[in-house]
């Protein structure tokens, strides 16, 4: 396999020379999160026009404003408590948090009065960008490392939300053979990375597939995200009362692991181009895999969470308030040309058929909230 040499080539090659082949999850974790060198842990813009990919947040502030509308509804469902904590995991530069906080400050004074926002990021240097972005809300902000978040010492009541966090967690890769399930390992010979299949590094891989009743077909490859249930367990332990709102691209397990998807969903992004080879420009290209929402729902139930709502992003946005956001834009005094530009931007968020509207899904889970009445449960437009 061809490679483009970066400092991570030497690091991973040395690791393999020392300990033998590594799992793909170890390889991906190094490419994304090696301190100072990983894709998410090195300087440079990742998201937006100057980065490698767009997320819904970069499209328009209305995305965050609709989430804020739903958060206000969650607060009402909890009986309008005096204190309410928002937690964002994987907050990047803080843009989504800023859009949410601005909406709540402007439209929900009572909620905003007792509001606190805790930002959890794998990459600590992003705190500076988040501080700048959220300067208007400075007295309400706190930061936690991922270790502090998972330590069991942090608890809160309110809403924990994330956008495109789970797809950025390192995944194991497996392949079904005539001898049973095998794991994909990364080896290295003369500086060239290669893959080989071997006995699974942990029985958890098989257990994961069994939990969602998936039987891979011979020859079928797939990703298994063991980090997702671990993250959800930390989130659920921290949550005393309230909601977990997860937005990401993915499918229910039956659709994600369909035999039609023979090679899985692993994909890399570099300067707005997709790339299938994860062994190129290590640390300079993003590596992701689609999210298995069935596992999040099943593990959530095991953790004592209720699954309140799961569906396509466009359904969520349409019923939770994007229509009202569009009406606000229409009523505003901005120029007709700008209104048209905004209408087209918002269309991107809700367009099905390969747009962001249906590949992206929203899952809302809750703990200790009796029959929450959420905006997304309304009929679209109702
Ligand atoms: C794909 S980016 C999404 C950023 C932002 N939410 C957005 O939508 O533009 C994923 C982010 O999650 C962060 N991250 C990865 N693992 C994390 C974890 N366990 N806890 C918190 N943040 C994490 C990464 O450093 C990165 O900033």
């Amino acid at each position: 396999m061809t490679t483009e040499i970066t400092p991570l080539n030497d690091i991973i090659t040395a690791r393999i020379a020392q300990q033998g082949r590594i799992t793909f999850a170890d390889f991906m974790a190094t490419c994304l999160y090696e301190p100072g060198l990983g894709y998410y842990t090195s300087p440079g813009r990742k998201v937006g026009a100057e980065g490698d990919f767009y997320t819904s947040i970069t499209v328009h502030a209305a995305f965050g404003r609709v989430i804020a509308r739903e958060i206000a509804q969650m607060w009402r469902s909890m009986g309008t408590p005096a204190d309410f904590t928002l937690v964002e995991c994987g907050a990047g530069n803080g843009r989504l948090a800023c859009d949410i906080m601005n909406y709540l400050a402007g439209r929900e004074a009572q909620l905003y009065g007792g509001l606190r926002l805790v930002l959890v990021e794998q990459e600590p240097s992003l705190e500076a960008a988040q501080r700048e972005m959220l300067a208007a809300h400075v007295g309400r902000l706190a930061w936690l490392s991922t270790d502090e978040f998972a330590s069991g010492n942090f608890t809160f009541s309110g809403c924990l939300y994330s956008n495109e966090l789970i797809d950025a967690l390192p995944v194991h890769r497996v392949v079904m053979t005539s001898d049973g399930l095998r794991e994909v390992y990364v080896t290295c010979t003369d500086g060239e990375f290669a893959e080989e299949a071997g006995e699974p590094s942990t029985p958890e891989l098989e257990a994961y597939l069994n939990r969602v009743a998936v039987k891979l077909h011979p020859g079928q490859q797939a990703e298994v995200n063991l980090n997702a249930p671990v993250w959800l367990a930390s989130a659920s332990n921290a949550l005393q009362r309230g909601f977990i709102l997860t937005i990401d691209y993915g499918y229910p397990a039956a659709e994600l692991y369909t035999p039609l998807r023979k090679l899985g969903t692993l994909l890399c992004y570099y300067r707005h181009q997709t790339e299938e080879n994860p062994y190129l420009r290590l640390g300079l290209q993003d590596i992701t895999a689609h999210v298995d929402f069935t596992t999040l729902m099943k593990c959530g139930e095991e953790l004592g969470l209720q699954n309140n709502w799961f569906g396509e992003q466009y359904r969520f946005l349409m019923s939770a308030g994007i229509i009202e956001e569009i009406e606000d834009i229409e009523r505003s005094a901005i120029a007709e040309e700008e209104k048209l530009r905004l209408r087209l931007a918002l269309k991107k968020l809700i367009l099905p058929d390969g747009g962001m509207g249906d590949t992206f899904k929203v899952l809302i889970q809750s703990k200790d909230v009796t029959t929450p009445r959420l905006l997304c449960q309304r009929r679209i437009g109702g």
Side-chain angles (χ1 to χ4, degrees):
M1 279 170 194
T2 5
T3 51
E4 194 172 305
I5 306 302
T6 75
L8 285 181
N9 284 73
D10 283 347
I11 290 174
I12 297 174
T13 303
R15 203 168 290 164
I16 294 172
Q18 199 181 20
Q19 69 181 62
R21 65 188 188 182
I22 58 174
T23 63
F24 187 83
D26 284 343
F27 172 82
M28 181 167 164
T30 308
C31 290
L32 296 186
Y33 300 111
E34 182 75 12
L37 296 171
Y39 181 74
Y40 284 112
T41 45
S42 53
R45 288 290 295 270
K46 317 293 173 185
V47 185
E50 305 141 45
D52 299 295
F53 56 91
Y54 292 104
T55 66
S56 297
I57 295 158
T58 44
V59 174
H60 192 267
F63 180 72
R65 295 173 63 82
V66 176
I67 294 171
R69 285 171 186 265
E70 191 65 283
I71 288 170
Q73 187 65 17
M74 291 171 174
W75 170 72
R76 289 191 183 90
S77 293
M78 291 170 69
T80 67
D83 298 314
F84 189 87
T85 300
L86 284 177
V87 179
E88 181 169 354
C89 285
N93 66 3
R95 179 75 254 172
L96 176 59
C98 181
D99 294 337
I100 291 174
M101 293 297 276
N102 287 349
Y103 178 92
L104 296 177
R107 300 278 190 99
E108 296 283 352
Q110 193 190 340
L111 163 55
Y112 188 74
L115 191 63
R116 164 173 99 106
L117 169 67
V118 178
L119 297 149
V120 185
E121 235 303 328
Q122 182 77 31
E123 171 45 24
S125 72
L126 284 169
E127 184 178 324
Q130 293 164 355
R131 263 184 205 285
E132 197 182 325
M133 183 75 80
L134 286 152
H137 309 283
V138 66
R140 298 164 190 282
L141 310 180
W143 281 267
L144 274 188
S145 70
T146 50
D147 285 347
E148 286 166 327
F149 174 72
S151 68
N153 297 326
F154 167 66
T155 56
F156 74 100
S157 284
C159 173
L160 182 158
Y161 65 93
S162 66
N163 185 60
E164 295 205 31
L165 165 74
I166 313 287
D167 74 72
L169 301 178
V171 292
H172 290 258
R173 284 171 63 208
V174 294
V175 56
M176 184 53 80
T177 70
S178 48
D179 295 327
L181 191 70
R182 293 290 178 265
E183 178 161 7
V184 175
Y185 291 87
V186 180
T187 65
C188 185
T189 313
D190 299 329
E192 292 279 307
F193 293 110
E195 294 176 350
E196 70 180 33
E199 284 295 327
S201 60
T202 161
E204 286 180 52
L205 296 173
E206 191 130 26
Y208 179 108
L209 294 172
N210 287 341
R211 180 170 46 220
V212 289
V214 162
K215 286 233 164 301
L216 299 177
H217 282 215
Q220 187 179 352
Q221 293 179 29
E223 299 84 29
V224 174
N225 188 339
L226 295 181
N227 287 305
V230 173
W231 174 83
L232 187 65
S234 301
S236 170
N237 284 342
L239 180 67
Q240 300 290 289
R241 181 162 181 256
F243 295 85
I244 299 176
L245 186 159
T246 305
I247 306 173
D248 218 316
Y249 43 87
Y251 304 100
E255 218 179 323
L256 181 66
Y257 294 113
T258 163
L260 298 174
R261 223 182 288 285
K262 263 187 91 75
L263 298 176
T265 62
L266 194 89
L267 208 55
C268 308
Y269 287 89
Y270 182 68
R271 299 197 180 147
H272 296 281
Q273 302 284 326
T274 56
E275 166 61 58
E276 285 176 5
N277 185 349
Y279 302 102
L280 296 177
R281 32 179 118 82
L282 309 188
L284 301 179
Q285 66 175 7
D286 190 18
I287 310 176
T288 79
H290 280 49
V291 171
D292 159 17
F293 280 94
T294 306
T295 288
L296 292 180
M297 288 189 266
K298 283 199 177 255
C299 290
E301 279 168 353
E302 287 165 18
L303 292 161
L305 298 175
Q306 272 195 323
N307 294 312
N308 302 127
W309 197 86
F310 171 67
E312 292 89 351
Q313 175 171 297
Y314 82 90
R315 285 185 193 283
F316 171 81
L317 292 174
M318 297 282 282
S319 47
I322 201 135
I323 310 283
E324 288 90 333
E325 286 296 323
I326 293 170
E327 284 168 357
D328 280 358
I329 292 171
E330 293 302 325
R331 272 195 299 269
S332 71
I334 56 178
E336 225 14 77
E337 208 175 307
E338 178 63 2
K339 283 185 185 169
L340 178 65
R341 200 189 63 74
L342 290 176
R343 252 180 256 135
L344 289 173
L346 295 185
K347 217 166 113 184
K348 221 189 237 178
L349 290 174
I350 48 181
L351 210 63
D353 292 334
M356 286 175 139
D358 63 353
T359 317
F360 281 78
K361 307 291 190 305
V362 178
L363 170 63
I364 301 182
Q365 296 165 296
S366 66
K367 184 187 264 182
D368 198 18
V369 186
T370 322
T371 51
R373 295 169 64 86
L374 300 171
L375 295 179
C376 60
Q377 291 165 332
R378 302 184 301 184
R379 274 189 314 111
I380 286 182

